[in-house]
Amino acid sequence: MMQKRIRLLASVVAAALLAFPAGAWAADGVVPAPAASDDERPDGQSTEVKISREQAIAIAKQFFPIPSEFEGPNVAIRQSGDTAVWSLTWMSREKDIDVSVDAVTGWVTGYNQWPPEREAPALTYTMGEARKVAEAWFAKLVPADLQPALRFVENPLNAAYWGGTSYQFSWERVEQGYPVDGDGVSIAIDARTGDLTNYSLTWREGVPFVLPESLLSREAAEASIRPFLRMTLQYQYFTRPGTDEGEWRLVYKPRNSFPYIDQEGRALGYDGDPVKPAPDPVLVDFGQTPYEQPVVPLNREAALRIAQAAAGRTDPPATSSYAEQGTDVKTAEWSFSWNRNPDSESQIDVGVDALTGALTYLYSWGPDDVPLKEGEEPPVSREKAEATALAFIRTYRPDLAGRVQYLPAAEDPLARTDYRPATHSFDFQQLENGVPVTGWELFVEVDERTGDVRSFWSSTARQGEEFPAVEGVVGAEAATDAYLAAEGFGLRWVSLWSQEENRQLPPRLLWAPENRLPVSSIDALTGVPLDYDGRDLIQASRRPTDIAGHPAEREIELLWSRGVLDLVDGKFNPDGLATAGELARWIVLAEGLRPDVAADFGGMGAGEALARKLAQSEESPYFGAAMRAGIILPEDFPEDANLSGPVSRELFALWAIRAMGYARVAAMDRAIAMPFADADQVGAKYANAVALLSGFGIVQGDSDGRFNPQAPITRGDAAKILYAVSAEPRK
């Protein structure tokens, strides 16, 4: 194909001047029979290594082709408790290959291949095709006696969701009809090459799976989970993909992490002990005195008085400074520091907002900040320290009156008992419209020995932020329903951790989260589950349902898997007409360009009316990126262009050729013959582009041999062309 394109381009230039390779498996080693499980050993004694270094290398080479140009392997072994694993690494200029081999059983437990980054981004394997490759590797790598106990887990998310070009497949271990948390197999297949890029086997041997005498019903388990989660309405900021711009949205998030539920309906922590949900937040009472912002920015003397009071100092600071930052919104801050103890390397740093008079930070540190000794009781109780922290917030953050809540701490079942810092820590959260703002937080630490505030920090709340009104939100119960449906929960074998014994406990059958989808929150307006980037997980988990049998079925699925194309209720509508805005977005995503949220369309040559339309379009960042790259030009549109309307087939052909890097060839005088019956109807501006796509084998005529250049291009035809374009590196 590439040679054909080179020959075609050579003829064009001349005319213008005149007017899964499959590798063989290495088999230089034999896998020894899995060793029998060791008997219980005395505490602190490592497991016996039964697979030698040479055997581990031979096992790795038997399963994986290690090219001769690779150096290595570098070899390491890690022994911990009842496990021992050989780690082998082969390296080349192009990529690394890592293999892990169990030093007791001889099982391959891990594989990683790091491919070169310069490969073309286009995918060539559909999810179904990649799954067949993964199943073949599963049959080859997983010990035969383990395979019957492994169950395939459906993954509804495509390759692009995870930000890469690999399909992820997993199998979970099942014992006595229930999955084993943490045990199983994961396999990743490169969607471009079909190569195995990652393999992992986790399997704990010799552990008992004892069924309880009775099982708690799902209804009873859910009744314990729902009040524990305490879904809370919050504002969360989400950034638009590929940009630095975003928006605040109303979401519901659980106040507490998902607990385990035992067969008695009790909520358990990671150590197996019963846990309680965190206490409800408390609005900080500032009294009746209203806050008055300074009429003019604070001078040094006024800011210093605030800093001295907060730091408990009356002497002059060792250093002071003033800084203004920002463009559209200015910030101004005074900074002061003192030596806490003249005889030691200790310091107190304080910041004061010159515009609001609010304290922004206080840090007091030094070499005498030692943790409490074992058995030492702090002179200052947590209750007394809490009162100090609340008083500190009231005194030094009066600007937050009525807009900050205290977050009482939940019990931490895994808190260290051998280390106790000499401070009590307290968390606060800012509010807007009475709703907590995720990320706008304040922290206060109080010395357990002296009762002084040792540190204070507040996140910078950006001025002028727009928050949606708290209207039309779904209820907390509906949000809990959506969260449980997306997260999923069921009976699973869970091995909890004993803090006292410092070991993993035998598996227990508990009601536990299933992690069906990576849900972070629930959209408070629509009730749909969202991930950490604010993506609708219901839409993201749907596969195209209306492309079967379409001529562009394969190309549509591959572009969708890359995240170039999106669906509406699981449908792509391949026979519908593609709009200019959609095509601009698809081209930018297919080419891996960064959307331009601040494009100067007038500066790019667009007339006043067109520039205004481009700037107001929902796809403005994509038009900007495509124009910046020279793929779409202002001259391609009339001043009164309908950017939500269709695009002709010949115009999209021109955009495709520019995206491939042949803009100069496309701009030459008509010089290339094309095989279409209506070739004379192709506009002169588009002739070379259409001819190039035809010569490259990307477009063909219809049953009558016609290209239909002025006909609007359908979504399916655009996808077919776009896939071919993205499959080649840009020239």
Side-chain angles (χ1 to χ4, degrees), residues 462-483:
R462 296 178 289 272
Q463 301 298 319
E465 295 287 301
E466 294 184 3
F467 293 88
V470 187
E471 299 174 350
V473 299
V474 301
E477 285 299 309
T480 305
D481 291 340
Y483 186 84

Side-chain angles (χ1 to χ4, degrees), residues 306-314 338 348-350 359 362 392 396 453:
I306 296 173
Q308 286 176 320
R313 306 295 292 241
T314 58
W338 288 265
I348 300 176
D349 298 319
V350 183
L359 202 73
L362 182 152
F392 189 88
Y396 296 105
V453 173

Side-chain angles (χ1 to χ4, degrees), residues 113-367:
Q113 177 188 156
W114 307 101
E117 297 181 357
R118 64 174 181 268
E119 293 183 19
L123 311 187
T124 58
Y125 281 72
T126 65
M127 187 178 292
E129 293 165 346
R131 176 173 172 176
K132 292 180 180 178
V133 176
E135 288 171 342
W137 277 109
F138 176 90
K140 184 180 185 69
L141 294 174
V142 179
D145 57 334
L146 304 187
Q147 293 183 20
L150 288 162
R151 178 173 63 193
F152 183 76
V153 179
E154 292 289 345
N155 177 11
L157 299 175
N158 60 18
Y161 177 85
W162 303 106
T165 54
S166 293
Y167 294 113
Q168 310 288 333
F169 303 97
S170 61
W171 289 257
E172 61 185 3
R173 180 182 181 181
V174 177
E175 294 291 346
Q176 302 202 55
Y178 300 101
V180 180
D181 207 44
D183 279 16
V185 170
S186 65
I187 292 177
I189 302 297
D190 192 313
R192 300 163 298 181
T193 64
D195 292 338
L196 174 72
T197 59
N198 178 271
Y199 166 79
S200 175
L201 166 64
T202 303
W203 192 280
R204 288 164 294 170
E205 288 195 288
V207 293
F209 296 94
V210 181
L211 286 170
E213 294 182 0
S214 62
L215 297 178
L216 188 72
S217 69
R218 171 174 291 274
E219 293 74 19
E222 183 173 336
S224 296
I225 293 171
R226 296 180 74 90
F228 193 95
L229 292 176
R230 295 190 184 178
M231 299 297 285
T232 305
L233 188 65
Q234 302 184 35
Y235 284 113
Q236 182 157 352
Y237 191 82
F238 293 108
T239 303
R240 297 185 186 93
T243 74
D244 296 324
E245 304 292 323
E247 63 181 356
W248 289 100
R249 294 162 63 181
L250 281 164
V251 301
Y252 279 99
K253 302 186 73 171
R255 174 82 170 91
N256 303 286
S257 58
F258 208 115
Y260 298 115
I261 304 296
D262 67 9
Q263 305 309 323
E264 297 179 15
R266 299 177 301 176
L268 306 181
Y270 292 101
D271 62 348
D273 289 339
V275 292
K276 297 179 180 179
D280 289 332
V282 178
L283 184 67
V284 178
D285 182 7
F286 282 78
Q288 301 300 318
T289 304
Y291 164 70
E292 295 183 4
Q293 183 168 340
V295 178
V296 296
L298 299 183
N299 58 25
R300 182 181 183 279
E301 288 69 26
L304 178 58
R305 285 194 294 271
I306 296 173
Q308 286 176 320
R313 306 295 292 241
T314 58
D315 54 325
T319 65
S320 66
S321 62
Y322 174 80
E324 293 182 358
Q325 295 180 341
T327 52
D328 297 335
V329 179
K330 287 281 189 182
T331 62
E333 186 176 62
W334 284 101
S335 299
F336 305 94
S337 66
W338 288 265
N339 293 323
R340 198 173 83 189
N341 185 341
D343 300 327
S344 65
E345 295 181 359
S346 59
Q347 188 167 315
I348 300 176
D349 298 319
V350 183
V352 178
D353 189 316
L355 302 180
T356 66
L359 202 73
T360 55
Y361 65 85
L362 182 152
Y363 300 117
S364 178
W365 54 272

